[in-house]
């Protein structure tokens, strides 16, 4: 015989959610508030200094360079990942269903390999002494490229690797969205004389707009928080010109021994991402309500 409390469905639902609440408190809420607490302490973590760590960061040119680099990195990488993912999803969606599985599997390989391992492979391709890419260029009488020692090429390299790793995620999300579009819409458009581009802009894009928005938001968050690609390829160099928030927070907090200042760096992007998430999710909810 069950106790009276367990006979009530709302009470059972709450009890079943307790493990989830525990995970959120332990893995999300506690680290966030602890980082917030650390960011208000001095370097020795013995005295409360309020917002002094943030004021110190705002007065450093290196920090603002990291902000610009992070925004540039996220903007360029997410745009290319979205375009490549959309083009690849369309191409695979036009293949007969029987042959799609092997293409989906091959296209997902960069995404399922651990990023640190695949980045190490890219490092061997870019490394100046044994660079396979530079070896090929010299065979073609083209000067070798300083992939990791020049600021422009170092930024290009980390964006290229990030696009290579992240584009399959866009592909699989867009492919799932394309398969949810009713075929009757395209048949009706063809009967009205619509061409491929008209069907793309007036049927496909509006139908997958919410997936595009959510995928873009998720990718921006992950891209801004990227650590392993920069750490393996350039370690933030040359001259700190490829640092992102995560790698700069690691350099300041762990390698330099100033944990509170590192926590302040990592918390800087939180308000920006919170506002961006609020705007995108609000628009997604409104579009979903208008289609209901």
């Amino acid at each position: 015989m069950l106790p009276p409390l367990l006979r009530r469905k709302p009470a059972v639902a709450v009890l079943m959610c307790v493990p989830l609440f525990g995970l959120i408190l332990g893995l999300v809420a506690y680290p966030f508030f602890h980082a917030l607490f650390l960011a208000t302490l001095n370097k020795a973590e013995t005295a409360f200094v309020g917002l002094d760590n943030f004021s110190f960061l705002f007065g450093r040119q290196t920090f603002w360079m990291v902000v610009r680099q992070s925004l540039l990195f996220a903007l360029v990488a997410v745009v290319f990942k979205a375009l490549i993912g959309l083009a690849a999803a369309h191409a695979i969606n036009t293949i007969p269903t029987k042959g799609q599985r092997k293409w989906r599997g091959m296209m997902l390989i960069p995404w399922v390999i651990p990023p640190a391992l695949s980045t190490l492979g890219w490092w061997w391709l870019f490394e100046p002494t044994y660079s396979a890419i530079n070896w090929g260029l010299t065979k073609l009488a083209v000067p070798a490229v300083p992939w990791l020692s020049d600021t422009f090429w170092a930024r290009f390299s980390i964006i290229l690797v990030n696009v290579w790793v992240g584009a399959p995620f866009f592909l699989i999300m867009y492919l799932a969205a394309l398969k949810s579009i009713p075929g009757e819409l395209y048949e009706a458009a063809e009967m009205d004389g619509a061409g491929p581009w008209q069907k793309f802009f007036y049927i496909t894009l509006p139908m997958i707009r919410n997936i595009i928005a959510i995928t873009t938001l998720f990718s921006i968050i992950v891209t801004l928080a990227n650590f392993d690609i920069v750490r393996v390829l350039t370690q933030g160099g040359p001259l700190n010109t490829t640092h992102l928030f995560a790698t700069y927070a690691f350099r300041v907090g762990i390698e330099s021994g100033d944990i509170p200042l590192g926590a302040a760096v990592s918390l800087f992007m939180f308000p920006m991402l919170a506002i961006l998430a609020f705007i995108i999710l609000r628009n997604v909810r409104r579009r979903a309500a208008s289609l209901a």
Side-chain angles (χ1 to χ4, degrees):
M1 191 72 177
L2 292 173
L5 179 63
L6 296 182
R7 296 177 197 167
R8 297 165 56 185
K9 291 183 178 178
V12 173
V14 171
L15 288 175
M16 294 182 69
C17 289
V18 167
L20 177 62
F21 292 147
L23 287 175
I24 293 175
L25 285 174
L27 301 179
V28 179
Y30 172 74
F32 171 74
F33 286 107
H34 189 62
L36 203 60
F37 170 70
L38 285 175
T40 60
L41 301 179
N42 63 351
K43 184 175 181 179
E45 303 178 37
T46 55
F48 179 77
V49 296
L51 299 177
D52 285 358
N53 285 323
F54 294 96
S55 300
F56 177 76
L57 286 175
F58 293 164
R60 299 189 66 179
Q61 291 184 352
T62 304
F63 174 72
W64 290 112
M65 183 174 66
V66 171
V67 173
R68 291 193 297 272
Q69 286 165 188
S70 299
L71 296 177
L72 174 70
F73 174 74
L75 178 65
V76 176
V78 171
V79 167
F80 276 96
K81 283 187 284 189
L83 291 177
I84 293 172
L86 185 59
H90 259 286
I92 291 179
N93 197 40
T94 58
I95 299 174
T97 306
K98 190 177 179 181
Q100 289 186 10
R101 187 176 301 172
K102 62 181 180 183
W103 286 105
R104 285 201 304 265
M106 286 190 291
M107 298 292 280
L108 284 175
I109 288 175
W111 193 50
V112 299
I113 299 175
L117 185 61
S118 59
T119 306
L120 188 60
W122 280 100
W123 179 80
W124 279 329
L125 292 175
F126 291 139
E127 200 271 335
T129 307
Y130 304 104
S131 171
I133 300 176
N134 280 347
W135 179 83
L137 291 176
T138 53
K139 292 296 181 184
L140 298 172
V142 177
V145 176
W147 297 105
L148 304 179
S149 56
D150 177 78
T151 296
F152 172 80
W153 289 111
R155 288 173 176 169
F156 173 85
S157 301
I158 62 173
I159 290 174
L160 174 65
V161 176
N162 185 269
V163 171
W164 185 80
V165 171
F169 170 71
F170 282 80
L171 157 69
I172 203 68
M173 294 296 289
Y174 291 163
L175 188 59
L178 290 174
K179 290 191 174 301
S180 69
I181 301 176
E184 293 80 5
L185 293 178
Y186 292 112
E187 294 172 1
E190 286 181 359
M191 293 177 65
D192 291 337
W197 287 109
Q198 289 171 312
K199 286 189 286 188
F200 176 76
F201 283 108
Y202 294 106
I203 297 177
T204 305
L205 274 185
M207 294 297 289
I208 66 172
R209 189 180 300 171
N210 282 349
I211 293 296
I212 292 175
I214 293 174
T215 308
T216 302
L217 171 64
F218 181 79
S219 182
I220 289 174
I221 295 172
V222 172
T223 304
L224 279 174
N226 186 273
F227 176 82
D228 36 20
I229 292 177
V230 175
R231 185 68 184 171
V232 173
L233 276 186
T234 65
Q235 297 188 354
L239 298 175
N240 297 320
T241 53
T242 57
H243 265 307
L244 305 178
F245 283 118
T247 55
Y248 188 60
F250 183 82
R251 172 66 58 83
V252 172
I254 303 300
E255 294 182 333
S256 301
D258 195 341
I259 298 291
L261 195 60
V265 173
S266 63
L267 287 171
F268 179 79
M269 62 180 174
F270 173 74
M272 296 188 299
L273 294 178
I275 294 172
L276 182 66
F278 173 78
I279 294 173
I280 291 179
L281 293 178
R282 184 186 62 178
N283 291 336
V284 168
R285 187 172 61 250
R286 286 180 177 177
R287 280 197 293 271
S290 66
L291 293 175

